[in-house]
């Protein structure tokens, strides 16, 4: 597994993935409460799903709150706007406005990583803006309907690399146990052939196992529930940590 680096340092040590808690509050007080609760759980990083935030239209306020959340959580912050087409909330911003929001967040150095969807029409300038300010980019793709075939998943991981990702991330919905195996195989092959860290996860109840064992197959990142989930199949962090400890001791 290639670790995810922030300021040249790996988020997690050893062979297990970094554990991320999502923050999904709609208001600043709710988010700060989530961040303080996350700090007590000691994840490797937190993800602010800003599409849940009711004040998303004020870029300056978002940047200020991002800094507060990072301080409250005490760990690196991944800044993410998830679009409706990939499972996110409806927001009152168009894509150029989203790109401008990311530019402000990166300019002010208030996020340690940013997540940009590969399917965004403005993916190139958003990646460039992050790179200009030294903020690593997670290039992501989510399919809430199905698990694409192996070659399509591998092509998505390569697309992330080709677009300039520091981390490539795929999340898919399995309809069978075999789909989970396809996701894990794609993650393993991508981790062995690409020179960037990758993260692969299957969602929903069938995919929950991938959130536990994904690191064994090269996934550098997994998501766990602090107070609220951001995607189906996420496991409470205490339970996830216990399962990862079993894998660590067995390995």
């Amino acid at each position: 597994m290639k670790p995810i680096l922030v300021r040249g340092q790996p988020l997690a040590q050893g062979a297990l993935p970094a554990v991320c808690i999502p923050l999904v509050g709609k208001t600043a007080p709710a988010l700060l409460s989530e961040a303080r609760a996350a700090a007590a759980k000691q994840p490797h990083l937190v993800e602010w799903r800003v599409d849940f935030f009711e004040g998303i239209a004020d870029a300056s306020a978002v940047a200020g709150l991002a800094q507060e959340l990072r301080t409250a959580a005490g760990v690196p912050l991944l800044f993410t706007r998830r679009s409706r087409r990939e499972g996110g909330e409806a927001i009152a911003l168009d894509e150029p406005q989203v790109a401008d929001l990311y530019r402000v967040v990166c300019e002010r150095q208030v996020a340690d990583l940013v997540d940009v969807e590969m399917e965004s029409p403005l993916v190139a300038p958003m990646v460039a803006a992050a790179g200009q300010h030294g903020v690593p980019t997670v290039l992501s793709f989510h399919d809430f309907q199905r698990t694409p075939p192996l070659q399509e998943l591998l092509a998505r991981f390569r697309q992330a690399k080709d677009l300039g990702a520091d981390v490539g991330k795929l999340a898919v919905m399995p309809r069978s146990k075999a789909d989970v195996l396809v996701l894990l195989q794609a993650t393993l092959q991508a981790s062995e052939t690409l020179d960037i860290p990758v993260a692969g996860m299957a969602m929903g109840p069938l995919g929950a196992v991938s959130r536990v064992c994904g690191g064994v197959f090269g996934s550098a990142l997994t998501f766990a529930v602090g107070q609220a989930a951001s995607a189906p199949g996420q496991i409470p962090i205490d339970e996830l940590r216990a399962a990862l400890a079993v894998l660590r001791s067995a390995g």
Side-chain angles (χ1 to χ4, degrees):
M1 181 201 306
K2 301 174 184 68
I4 297 172
L5 301 179
V6 172
R7 301 186 206 97
Q9 298 299 314
L11 285 175
Q13 302 290 335
L16 295 180
V19 177
C20 181
I21 286 179
L23 309 177
V24 296
K26 295 183 181 297
T27 66
L31 283 160
L32 288 165
S33 176
E34 279 189 275
R36 289 189 287 268
K41 299 292 186 180
Q42 298 184 316
H44 296 103
L45 71 162
V46 294
E47 178 188 42
W48 182 13
R49 278 286 304 276
V50 72
D51 50 294
F52 282 90
F53 181 49
E54 63 184 19
I56 190 174
D58 186 337
S60 183
V62 167
L65 182 54
Q67 180 61 62
E68 290 186 67
L69 294 174
R70 184 166 62 171
T71 300
V75 293
L77 176 73
L78 169 62
F79 183 83
T80 300
R81 182 292 310 243
R82 185 68 60 233
S83 70
R84 286 295 299 276
R85 68 178 174 271
E86 297 199 21
E89 300 295 297
I91 60 173
L93 299 179
D94 59 23
E95 286 302 305
Q97 290 171 318
V98 169
D100 189 61
L101 176 63
Y102 271 67
R103 178 187 57 78
V104 171
V105 166
C106 292
E107 280 181 353
R108 298 195 186 181
Q109 300 285 301
V110 293
D112 298 281
L113 309 99
V114 293
D115 178 299
V116 179
E117 293 173 358
M118 286 184 256
E119 292 296 283
S120 168
L122 296 176
V123 60
M126 292 171 74
V127 171
Q132 180 182 356
H133 298 286
V135 180
T137 304
V138 179
L139 282 182
S140 62
F141 173 76
H142 302 75
D143 192 328
F144 277 76
Q145 303 305 315
R146 66 182 186 124
T147 297
L150 175 62
Q151 292 306 315
E152 186 174 333
L153 294 177
L154 291 172
R156 287 290 185 183
F157 276 126
R158 288 193 297 272
Q159 180 185 14
K161 164 63 179 174
D162 293 343
L163 288 170
D166 296 285
V167 182
K169 177 196 170 192
L170 301 185
V172 298
M173 185 63 73
R175 298 300 179 188
S176 67
K177 295 176 184 177
D179 282 345
V180 180
L181 292 177
V182 169
L183 179 279
L184 292 173
Q185 183 178 358
T187 304
L188 178 61
Q189 289 185 222
S191 72
E192 292 176 337
T193 57
L194 299 179
D195 60 358
I196 60 170
V198 298
M201 54 213 71
M203 297 182 285
L206 274 175
V209 64
S210 71
R211 299 182 183 277
V212 176
C213 72
V216 177
F217 295 87
S219 182
L221 180 65
T222 189
F223 290 78
V225 177
Q227 289 189 326
S230 62
Q234 291 175 356
I235 300 168
I237 188 170
D238 293 336
E239 296 176 19
L240 178 63
R241 277 233 176 86
L244 291 175
V246 171
L247 290 178
R248 181 185 297 112
S249 62

